[in-house]
Amino acid sequence: MTSIGYLGPKGTFTKIAVDATFNGEHKEDYKTIPECIDAVDSGEIDIGVVPLENAIEGTVQLTIDYLIHQVRIPVVGEIVVPIQMHLLVRGNMISEEAEIEEVHSHSHAIAQCQQYLHHHFNHAKVAVTTSTARAAEMVSNSDKPIAAIGNRAAASEYGLEIFKENIHDYPNNHTRFLILSHQPEKVNIKREAKGEKTTLLITLPSDKAGALHQILSAFAWRKLNLSKIESRPTKTGLGNYFFIIDVNQSYDDILLPGVKAELEALGCQVTILGSYPVYDIL
Ligand SMILES: O=C(O)C(=O)C[C@]1(C(=O)O)C=C[C@@H](O)C=C1
């Protein structure tokens, strides 16, 4: 049976992404994103699902850096999930905000509720956990007046109440998750894809005027639509970057191989991180 790893425990947004995309496969939870990615790389599990980017807070840097620097696992799919953050507490424990002494959650969830926390919980300690569901689990096991930021699934998984709904700072909130696997034939998804993407990792040859412009024109004159460009440090010194570029189409036989050859002729190093379908969970 195919096994799928995710950032756990049960009740994370990553688990929601997994449940909405895969059928009855064996699902294995991991405490951290690197542990989940390592398990895919070593073959302990067949597929891993990890968060990549949130509409409010941006890239999950731990994920992208791990995929660039530590392992090379093909991206075989993307899942876009709507995100609603709620404040979760133990039932009958808290009647007003002022009683809550601590708020716990994943750093990316805390960042998505920054304004809310600033206006309502300046009195409280805000603490980071390995995931939103881990925070919910902690709150359910504690007899202190503390709260977690998490989703509805975590509230029911850990028997918590929703003290305040939709506390994320901007309404149109989504997170992109990556499906990683060395065995694409094992990836069996129950949804229709809504599009295709290719992600390229590009290293510039040297600090040269107009280099980024030359890279972008290789896509532009072929009329390839980009949906994201991001730079991440190569970690070799200040000013040295990789560029990660998402193109809104699959790796075809002509256009993208043409881009790759053109960039290599300019002295760039080009790695295809994946060419994959995109699934939207509405
Ligand atoms: O902690 C969780 O529930 C996760 O699945 C992680 C994660 C993230 O890293 O971005 C996923 C979606 C939300 O953006 C907040 C947290």
Side-chain angles (χ1 to χ4, degrees), residues 7 12-14 51 54 60 83 85 106 108-109 112 131-132 175 177:
L7 175 67
T12 58
F13 288 97
T14 313
N54 171 261
V60 181
I83 304 287
M85 296 291 180
H106 188 272
H108 238 63
Q112 292 164 43
S131 71
T132 57
T175 295
F177 293 85

Side-chain angles (χ1 to χ4, degrees), residues 109-129:
I110 292 170
Q112 292 164 43
C113 306
Q114 206 56 253
Q115 286 302 313
Y116 173 79
L117 292 172
H118 172 62
H119 292 297
H120 297 261
F121 285 98
N122 248 340
H123 64 276
K125 178 180 147 195
V126 176
V128 171
T129 51

